[in-house]
Amino acid sequence: MPVPRRRFRALARRWWPMAVAVPLGAAAGTGYAVVSHPSYASSAYVVVVPQNAGENASAVNFAQAYGRLTGQPQVLIGAAAETHHSVAALAALVRGTTSPDAPVIEITGTGPRPEDAVQNAGAVARSLMAFGNSGSKETGVKLVQLAAAAEPDAPASPSATLDTAVGGAAGVLLGTLVMLTRRGPGPDPGSTTAVFPTQAETPRTEGVYR
């Protein structure tokens, strides 16, 4: 058998798990993107405004604090009644993010339809402003809507490109595991028997008695 053919067969025997697992994983990711239900996302923006000039750092700190409260029941209870969701269900559909150097809170709502995402984001933004402004005298800041949620043009998920890439990566991992398990066990160090040179018998010398 020619040397190139032998090398090809050796490589095929070694790498066939990877060659099979990667395309299958990518195909599975693409199939998931095709059959899964779309989810839309929309964001509303709330800005924290200081009541006294020169307290921008304090406004940033309050924005981060209010951003962490976005998914809490005391904020969501008002929005839940508006969106006809339970508090727990609405908490899974919205999230709040903040910037470390700007007093802005981004409230992202998701839903199976574009109008659902807009409604969830807008309702939570209004509920957060009502919650924060109820204590403006104590905090010295006021929450104001910076931008209303807009209806998205395309779903945020699934993403065929991302899901295919994730499936391919899973195939790489699976193929690697299969290749590792197919390797034969190495020599057992404990079973190695040391070989020592035999020692020649020392000739016995008989004593000579006179």
Side-chain angles (χ1 to χ4, degrees):
M1 183 182 294
V3 174
R5 184 176 297 179
R6 288 201 302 268
R7 289 180 177 177
F8 175 79
R9 293 186 64 179
L11 289 174
R13 286 194 300 267
R14 181 179 180 184
W15 291 97
W16 73 262
M18 192 74 69
V20 172
V22 173
L24 286 179
T30 303
Y32 171 79
V34 172
V35 302
S36 60
H37 298 289
S39 177
Y40 293 85
S42 180
S43 295
Y45 297 87
V46 174
V47 62
V48 179
V49 180
Q51 299 299 297
N52 299 320
E55 294 185 357
N56 292 332
S58 177
V60 172
N61 292 335
F62 274 110
Q64 294 178 355
Y66 284 126
R68 288 190 290 269
L69 291 174
T70 301
Q72 298 303 310
Q74 59 268 37
V75 173
L76 295 179
I77 190 169
E82 181 179 346
T83 58
H84 305 290
H85 289 300
S86 66
V87 172
L90 186 58
L93 297 174
V94 294
R95 67 178 184 274
T97 56
T98 59
S99 171
D101 53 7
V104 177
I105 306 167
E106 179 184 4
I107 302 171
T108 302
T110 59
R113 300 179 302 173
E115 54 269 28
D116 294 332
V118 172
Q119 183 184 34
N120 293 336
V124 174
R126 288 186 290 272
S127 185
L128 179 65
M129 288 187 292
F131 175 82
N133 292 335
S134 63
S136 292
K137 293 182 179 179
E138 291 78 14
T139 61
V141 297
K142 186 176 182 180
L143 278 66
V144 179
Q145 181 172 282
L146 180 63
E151 189 168 302
D153 297 328
S157 65
S159 171
T161 302
L162 178 60
D163 292 334
T164 301
V166 171
V172 171
L173 178 60
L174 180 60
T176 302
L177 292 176
V178 173
M179 290 175 61
L180 290 176
T181 57
R182 292 180 68 249
R183 290 184 179 178
D188 186 2
S191 63
T192 303
T193 304
V195 179
F196 300 95
T198 58
Q199 183 178 2
E201 292 186 359
T202 304
R204 296 177 62 184
T205 304
E206 296 183 357
V208 179
Y209 297 96
R210 294 179 181 178

